[in-house]
Amino acid sequence: LLLISCTLSLVGNAFAWSSGSSRREALRVGGAVVVGIGSSALPHMKQALAVDLKEDYRQGTAALANMDDAAPVPREAYKKLSSGVVYADLRPGKGDPVVQAGSRVNLQWVLRRSNGYFVDSSEVQNSVPFIFTVGDGKAIYGIDEGVLGMKEGGVRRILIPPPLAYVQGLEDGKPGPLPAGYGPRQQMRRIQSVRKDVPGEYVFLEVQLTRLR
């Protein structure tokens, strides 16, 4: 039983910075600014609903081991960043270091559409982690910003407005984590082209930070 914890109405406000500032600097300055979520911030957020989904929707949940996928995420657990990215920590990590601009991280991930439908995961791709340095442009912006503050071993659910997702395309070498294969990539292309302005549309990623340095 997969629980879709909330329906979110997100406004895809691309995180802006001056032409003279680097992406990494922009993350330092504004990426961690959190806007408290209340009824005014997310007027369409609803109570967690239990949805009996088909197996196609449930695929990939094993990629984030030892998670209780029957546990709803309370509304107050979600935090909204100034860019429009929303996240909730499903499991806290350990240790003192946290992800910041310039950190090099390994992520295991599960990618879904906004209705919870499974698209792809690192587990399907032979459990090869997505490795990048925060702010170097190798990750989609919503992930660059959404992993800030995580600790090693932590698991986070990140909801990314399309303008902060696969805006540079889904071909090999583009910012990731990238789904593999024609079908999964076409699903994301459709969101980026046809559904990018649909209220409540977002890219749904659950990530586990397996290494931080």
Side-chain angles (χ1 to χ4, degrees):
L1 181 66
L2 175 66
L3 288 166
I4 306 304
S5 300
C6 59
T7 300
L8 298 173
S9 178
L10 298 177
V11 178
N13 297 321
F15 191 71
W17 59 85
S18 67
S19 59
S21 300
S22 68
R23 184 174 182 176
R24 184 174 299 176
E25 182 63 22
L27 286 169
R28 287 197 186 96
V29 174
V33 177
V34 176
V35 180
I37 291 185
S39 58
S40 60
L42 291 176
H44 300 292
M45 180 179 281
K46 299 178 180 180
Q47 295 294 329
L49 300 175
V51 181
D52 188 6
L53 299 174
K54 298 179 180 178
E55 183 60 28
D56 285 345
Y57 287 76
R58 294 171 53 81
Q59 292 179 63
T61 55
L64 303 179
N66 302 318
M67 292 303 300
D68 182 2
D69 66 355
V73 179
R75 173 176 175 173
E76 58 270 18
Y78 286 90
K79 296 178 175 64
K80 185 179 181 183
L81 304 178
S82 58
S83 63
V85 170
V86 175
Y87 72 88
D89 286 310
L90 307 185
R91 184 171 69 205
K94 298 179 180 180
D96 294 328
V98 299
V99 176
Q100 56 189 334
S103 296
R104 188 160 180 81
V105 300
N106 290 26
L107 298 180
Q108 295 288 336
W109 53 273
V110 177
L111 173 65
R112 303 180 190 277
R113 297 194 329 228
S114 58
N115 60 3
Y117 191 94
F118 174 79
V119 177
D120 201 0
S121 73
S122 54
E123 184 184 52
V124 172
Q125 298 185 29
N126 300 313
S127 295
V128 176
F130 177 55
I131 304 173
F132 68 102
T133 298
V134 177
D136 69 356
K138 292 184 179 179
I140 58 175
Y141 191 79
I143 286 293
D144 242 355
E145 188 180 20
V147 299
L148 293 173
M150 289 187 71
K151 294 183 177 182
E152 190 167 303
V155 177
R156 181 172 286 186
R157 178 175 296 164
I158 306 173
L159 295 91
I160 305 171
L164 301 180
Y166 297 103
V167 292
Q168 296 186 43
L170 286 118
E171 297 77 20
D172 290 345
K174 297 296 185 180
L178 288 170
Y182 179 80
R185 291 188 179 187
Q186 279 298 98
Q187 292 183 56
M188 291 296 102
R189 287 189 181 103
R190 185 173 186 274
I191 290 173
Q192 293 298 145
S193 60
V194 179
R195 298 185 58 82
K196 63 180 180 179
D197 297 321
V198 175
E201 188 63 54
Y202 53 87
V203 173
F204 184 115
L205 273 154
E206 288 175 341
V207 299
Q208 181 177 25
L209 179 60
T210 57
R211 188 178 181 190
L212 167 62
R213 62 253 190 228

